[in-house]
Amino acid sequence: MAGQDLLHTQPRPMHWLATATAISAVVAAASFVQPPDATATTTPAATGRHPAAPDPSKVTFPVDCGPNRLDVVKKASGDLDGDGTTETVAVVRCHTGAGSPPSGVYVLAQPDGRRAAPRIVATLLAPAQQRSVQTLAIKDGAISAAVLGYSTRDVPRCCPDVRKSVKWQWKGGKFVQSELPAAVSTRRV
């Protein structure tokens, strides 16, 4: 075939290295030549992604577990207040081998500085209320949970006998709790 003996028709590794070096030089030079007002910004809408959700493992919760560790047993994330940022709802409780330790439910937000630890912005359920959270979900900015409790002080703390479905929504600058009517939501477990 004609042209087979021409040097440029038989590329060698040195040809590929020279080509890669030339392309790299052009890309590097282009990164330095930009209009003076050019800035790189991304927004959740522009990228199609929401900012990363706050990580509960980086938070110190106001729960005293004594010698036991604190466990994050459930978490859910979403934009709870409509500001375009992602919050995380964390359910925590002290670690135990038996029984149903009370849960705490906290809303976490990430400060503007992404390197800063997330912070607790709301307590929805304190462990002192002696409730355990069975389920947790976020849908359309509302937090819903199935909460287990006790009908009387005589019920052993290992065995909750009341279940209520509760919901928290951001209204008027705070989280407002509502629950289904007692006839519908409270039942013996």
Side-chain angles (χ1 to χ4, degrees):
M1 212 182 237
Q4 286 292 333
D5 295 333
L6 297 175
L7 191 57
H8 71 278
T9 61
Q10 298 174 359
R12 296 199 174 26
M14 185 54 95
H15 293 112
W16 291 112
L17 182 60
T19 302
T21 303
I23 291 173
S24 297
V26 170
V27 170
S31 69
F32 292 111
V33 180
Q34 294 187 12
D37 61 342
T39 58
T41 60
T42 58
T43 62
T47 62
R49 293 178 288 152
H50 291 286
D55 182 358
S57 69
K58 297 181 179 178
V59 174
T60 301
F61 292 94
V63 179
D64 182 10
C65 292
N68 298 323
R69 73 175 185 264
L70 183 74
D71 293 332
V72 176
V73 294
K74 297 181 185 342
K75 65 180 180 176
S77 298
D79 183 1
L80 301 175
D81 55 5
D83 67 352
T85 62
T86 303
E87 290 83 24
T88 296
V89 179
V91 178
V92 301
R93 68 178 183 199
C94 296
H95 182 78
T96 182
S100 300
S103 301
V105 180
Y106 302 94
V107 178
L108 312 176
Q110 185 69 49
D112 288 337
R114 283 306 197 179
R115 295 180 189 251
R119 61 186 177 91
I120 297 171
V121 294
T123 300
L124 304 179
L125 182 69
Q129 293 174 272
Q130 296 293 308
R131 303 285 183 251
S132 296
V133 176
Q134 188 177 35
T135 63
L136 176 73
I138 294 176
K139 184 177 178 186
D140 299 327
I143 306 158
S144 59
V147 179
L148 304 177
Y150 308 94
S151 58
T152 69
R153 290 186 176 269
D154 297 331
V155 175
R157 296 296 112 171
C158 68
C159 311
D161 65 338
V162 174
R163 181 181 191 270
K164 292 184 179 186
S165 295
V166 295
K167 180 170 86 171
W168 294 276
Q169 281 188 291
W170 184 257
K171 293 181 181 177
K174 62 182 179 179
F175 286 99
V176 176
Q177 179 182 334
S178 60
E179 60 184 69
L180 296 174
V184 175
S185 65
T186 303
R187 65 176 176 91
R188 298 282 177 177
V189 180

